[in-house]
Amino acid sequence: MPTQKYLDLTIVEVLDKFNPMKKLSWLTSLTILFAFGYASLAVGSSVDQAKRIHDRIAGVPPSATVLSDMITFIDNNNPQAAASLAIENENFYLVTLKNMVAPMTNVDQDVFVPLDDYSATFIGIVLNDIDFRQVLSGNIIFVGDPSLNLTPYAPDNNLHYEALESAINSNSVELSTALVQRSQSDVIPELPADATAGVLTTRAAAKAFFYAGTNRANFRFTLLNYLCKDLEQIMDVTLTPDRIRQDVSRSPGGDSSIFLNNCIGCHAGMDPMAQAFAYYEWDYDRDNDPMGELGRLVYNSSSEMDATTGTRVQAKYHINSSNFPYGYVTPDDSWENYWRASNDQTLGWDAALSGRGNGAKSMGQELAHSEQFAQCQVEKVFQQVCFRPPSDSADRSQIASMITNFKNAGYNLKQAFIDSSVYCMGD
């Protein structure tokens, strides 16, 4: 090998052989070499950190101008400002946020799904610096700007958002400038203002989580998506089972111990909470549209009674009543959080709230005002930006700091992206 003859040389000898300026001492040469090396590392570090921040927030490299500005901010000990520049990139909304929310919109947790009213509303809330807790309770929806002349929003199809996505893909419009905020109760006339609950009452959520079943799915996936907990993680067999519905057998397979040691742990907490959805249903043509692609969200207002239940409660809440006739018969949409009395208090329920109410809006507020809601959002952003979950004591300390910043910023989710990218810019 050509370099073999240099392998046994000391660094001084190597410098001497490759130093054409023989008048310089080896010490001077060594000083120049190290000075140049550290200077290069310092500049390279700023460049690499700026690129890493931008890549992880926006998913694309920065332009030369933005990169230069970001490097200047980092060199001036203001990496937060550098991260704020990255968030201004269109791809933060079109790629990063869309990929983050897409799995939340469907049961399969598939990221490869079209834009819809759920994902557009999630993105719009972040885009407009809205208190992120509104995602579970607000009378809010984001649609395409009317000036774009898109297919109008309709409660029984997704054509409006497919047209918007097509316009974006053709580079004729940017998502960050195309979204406009509307009241959900105006866009969906069948839904009164007090029955709106952010993304929980969008068409996409109804199609995914009110389809068939018993409306428990909407509650379970809300826990997964916004509290980062599944039912098995917070189950408590000591809770009172008085509001578990009739469709849950008390002796599955003829063994009551299964119910007492397993089923009760989830249903005792879930059923009283999922009762908030008692007046909602996904209405579709079961014969000609079995997958409900052209279905629509319906809500029983105060003047509408279900023919089966004789109340505003949807018939699905009374199905399979023979499984345990003495079980709870849902009379209305009142809900109560039995987990507030649980032995496990790690979810951090807000003492300023009562832990009970009527309908999806107040139930969404109960979840969004918990400590676990804030922690979940921060940890999800951390993992997306840093490409790893928090693991050691330094990470846990950072998460705690980010939660505080998230709250102090008015629950602005952008703050979590800024903090995460700065913390991991040296990874």
Side-chain angles (χ1 to χ4, degrees):
M1 294 176 63
T3 58
Q4 184 64 43
K5 60 183 180 180
Y6 302 120
L7 291 180
D8 297 326
L9 300 178
T10 67
I11 188 168
V12 174
E13 292 170 326
V14 171
L15 285 169
D16 184 65
K17 284 183 175 294
F18 285 95
N19 179 17
M21 300 176 65
K22 294 296 184 178
K23 293 181 180 179
L24 293 177
S25 69
W26 69 267
L27 184 59
T28 304
S29 301
L30 189 61
T31 302
I32 292 173
L33 177 63
F34 273 80
F36 176 77
Y38 281 123
S40 298
L41 283 173
V43 174
S45 178
S46 299
V47 173
D48 291 343
Q49 289 171 354
K51 287 181 177 179
R52 187 173 294 113
I53 287 173
H54 199 281
D55 288 348
R56 293 188 176 186
I57 286 180
V60 294
S63 67
T65 301
V66 170
L67 178 60
S68 177
D69 291 341
M70 291 178 69
I71 292 170
T72 300
F73 281 128
I74 292 172
D75 286 340
N76 289 324
N77 296 317
N78 191 3
Q80 290 80 9
S84 296
L85 282 180
I87 282 178
E88 294 177 7
N89 189 283
E90 167 69 10
N91 285 281
F92 171 64
Y93 305 100
L94 182 60
V95 178
T96 304
L97 285 183
K98 185 175 184 295
N99 288 344
M100 182 177 180
V101 67
M104 303 182 194
T105 67
N106 60 94
V107 171
D108 295 329
Q109 298 180 308
D110 185 2
V111 69
F112 300 107
V113 292
L115 186 72
D116 52 39
D117 56 353
Y118 188 128
S119 52
T121 299
F122 181 104
I123 294 169
I125 287 174
V126 180
L127 169 67
N128 289 272
D129 303 324
I130 296 171
D131 184 330
F132 194 69
R133 292 174 296 181
Q134 292 291 307
V135 78
L136 298 185
S137 63
N139 182 7
I140 184 173
I141 193 170
F142 279 83
V143 299
D145 193 314
S147 67
L148 299 176
N149 295 317
L150 304 170
T151 304
Y153 179 96
D156 58 358
N157 63 66
N158 194 46
L159 296 178
H160 173 75
Y161 294 97
E162 292 173 13
L164 174 57
E165 195 161 38
S166 178
I168 293 169
N169 291 337
S170 66
N171 296 318
S172 62
V173 66
E174 291 187 343
L175 180 61
S176 60
T177 59
L179 292 177
V180 295
Q181 182 178 343
R182 299 280 303 278
S183 295
Q184 206 173 111
S185 54
D186 290 340
V187 174
I188 309 174
E190 300 90 343
L191 204 59
D194 62 0
T196 59
V199 298
L200 303 185
T201 49
T202 56
R203 180 183 186 274
K207 178 179 181 294
F209 309 126
F210 288 151
Y211 173 85
T214 58
N215 285 4
R216 291 184 177 102
N218 202 333
F219 180 75
R220 184 219 167 190
F221 279 92
T222 300
L223 283 182
L224 279 171
N225 293 330
Y226 295 100
L227 271 69
C228 297
K229 298 286 186 181
D230 206 348
L231 290 164
E232 289 80 3
Q233 296 172 276
I234 56 176
M235 66 181 295
D236 185 349
V237 296
T238 68
L239 296 182
T240 304
D242 61 328
R243 287 174 72 167
I244 299 179
R245 297 183 218 165
Q246 294 173 306
D247 62 329
V248 179
S249 173
R250 270 48 170 188
S251 55
D255 186 355
S256 60
S257 66
I258 296 177
F259 171 79
L260 294 172
N261 295 316
N262 292 280
C263 306
I264 190 176
C266 295
H267 281 279
M270 172 174 58
D271 282 17
M273 296 288 275
Q275 191 171 328
F277 297 125
Y279 300 162
Y280 301 87
E281 173 65 296
W282 180 247
D283 185 35
Y284 64 100
D285 186 336
R286 287 165 172 75
D287 295 325
N288 300 312
D289 181 27
M291 298 306 295
E293 295 297 332
L294 300 178
R296 62 190 297 154
L297 171 65
V298 296
Y299 174 82
N300 284 341
S301 64
S302 57
S303 61
E304 296 173 296
M305 301 295 165
D306 185 274
T308 300
T309 66
T311 67
R312 295 172 64 185
V313 176
Q314 298 287 350
K316 60 170 56 179
Y317 275 74
H318 289 190
I319 65 172
N320 299 322
S321 58
S322 61
N323 285 354
F324 188 70
Y326 304 104
Y328 186 71
V329 179
T330 304
D332 51 37
D333 69 345
S334 62
W335 62 268
E336 185 169 355
N337 185 0
Y338 279 26
W339 280 302
R340 280 180 174 258
S342 174
N343 294 326
D344 182 4
Q345 295 296 320
T346 58
L347 299 184
W349 304 109
D350 188 349
L353 299 178
S354 67
R356 58 173 60 88
N358 288 85
K361 182 182 289 293
S362 58
M363 192 273 290
Q365 290 173 339
E366 172 80 349
L367 297 177
H369 283 250
S370 68
E371 290 294 325
Q372 183 61 31
F373 174 86
Q375 181 169 332
C376 177
Q377 312 322 307
V378 166
E379 289 185 348
K380 286 200 300 184
V381 171
F382 181 98
Q383 183 159 346
Q384 177 155 345
V385 173
C386 298
F387 300 153
R388 60 181 177 80
S391 56
D392 57 20
S393 59
D395 288 351
R396 288 189 288 273
S397 177
Q398 172 65 14
I399 291 296
S401 175
M402 287 171 59
I403 291 172
T404 299
N405 292 344
F406 177 45
K407 293 178 179 179
N408 290 341
Y411 288 83
N412 186 336
L413 198 63
K414 289 178 185 175
Q415 186 64 50
F417 278 93
I418 291 171
D419 289 346
S420 294
S421 65
V422 170
Y423 179 72
C424 294
M425 69 181 184
D427 284 1

